[in-house]
Amino acid sequence: MNYVNLYDYLDTCNDVDKRKVIYFISKHLKGLHNSNLYVPYFYLKTILVNSDNLSDIKFPNIANGVEDSEFNNYKNSNIYELALISFASHLPGYNISEKGLINYSVIKENFENFTYIFNKDDVNYYRDVLVNDNYRYYTQRSRRNQWMKNS
């Protein structure tokens, strides 16, 4: 198996594979959240992606949210952080491993100036999560089918 950290993977893969890996990470998060688990520290250097099988994602730290009154906030934070990561990875010429993530308030205030960086089918998803604080997973089957056709 050929695992690479998420920082390095996002800096080197093409746009179709970026969408795929974000889809699979989101799907994995949804499964964790449905089991009352969450990722307490979303460090891109420690999240591993199997470049031979993008559905194989490894989070080094997973926490139990059962009976934790903040679980819903942790879950939303995981979704939001993944959207921020995806945003930064889609910026043309932006190297996420060198520059890190972009300030969320800059994105929120200027989102419409950046819509061109996303596949047109994804703009509303990112607007919902990053601007409108409508936390939902990037797991719609229509997205998966669309990029599977384009692979």
Side-chain angles (χ1 to χ4, degrees):
M1 289 186 215
N2 188 21
Y3 286 97
V4 61
N5 71 54
L6 190 55
Y7 258 141
D8 292 337
Y9 185 78
L10 290 174
D11 279 345
T12 59
C13 70
N14 62 46
D15 284 343
V16 171
D17 285 345
K18 280 180 192 172
R19 292 179 78 208
K20 287 179 185 180
V21 80
I22 296 300
Y23 168 83
F24 286 120
I25 292 171
S26 184
K27 185 175 180 179
H28 191 60
L29 283 174
K30 183 177 182 181
L32 290 173
H33 295 159
N34 287 341
S35 299
N36 294 308
L37 301 170
Y38 66 97
V39 179
Y41 306 104
F42 225 87
Y43 296 131
L44 281 79
K45 291 181 181 179
T46 60
I47 296 170
L48 300 178
V49 176
N50 181 341
S51 60
D52 297 326
N53 176 7
L54 296 180
S55 67
D56 186 5
I57 309 292
K58 296 199 181 293
F59 293 105
N61 298 310
I62 297 174
N64 192 332
V66 174
E67 297 184 28
D68 189 328
S69 63
E70 294 296 311
F71 176 68
N72 200 47
N73 291 333
Y74 301 146
K75 184 171 77 168
N76 289 342
S77 179
N78 284 173
I79 294 167
Y80 190 81
E81 288 178 54
L82 181 59
L84 281 175
I85 291 163
S86 182
F87 183 95
S89 75
H90 279 89
L91 283 172
Y94 191 86
N95 189 300
I96 200 169
S97 62
E98 289 178 11
K99 299 180 181 177
L101 298 180
I102 298 170
N103 184 298
Y104 68 90
S105 63
V106 170
I107 295 170
K108 196 169 196 162
E109 293 169 14
N110 298 291
F111 182 82
E112 295 307 317
N113 296 329
F114 293 106
T115 58
Y116 74 93
I117 68 173
F118 298 111
N119 180 291
K120 65 180 173 67
D121 296 325
D122 293 343
V123 172
N124 287 334
Y125 169 79
Y126 288 102
R127 183 182 293 115
D128 275 354
V129 175
L130 297 172
V131 177
N132 301 329
D133 299 324
N134 179 17
Y135 305 108
R136 58 188 177 101
Y137 301 97
Y138 183 75
T139 57
Q140 290 84 358
R141 176 144 319 269
S142 61
R143 286 189 198 2
R144 182 178 184 275
N145 288 340
Q146 179 192 9
W147 47 250
M148 289 301 236
K149 289 179 201 172
N150 296 333
S151 306

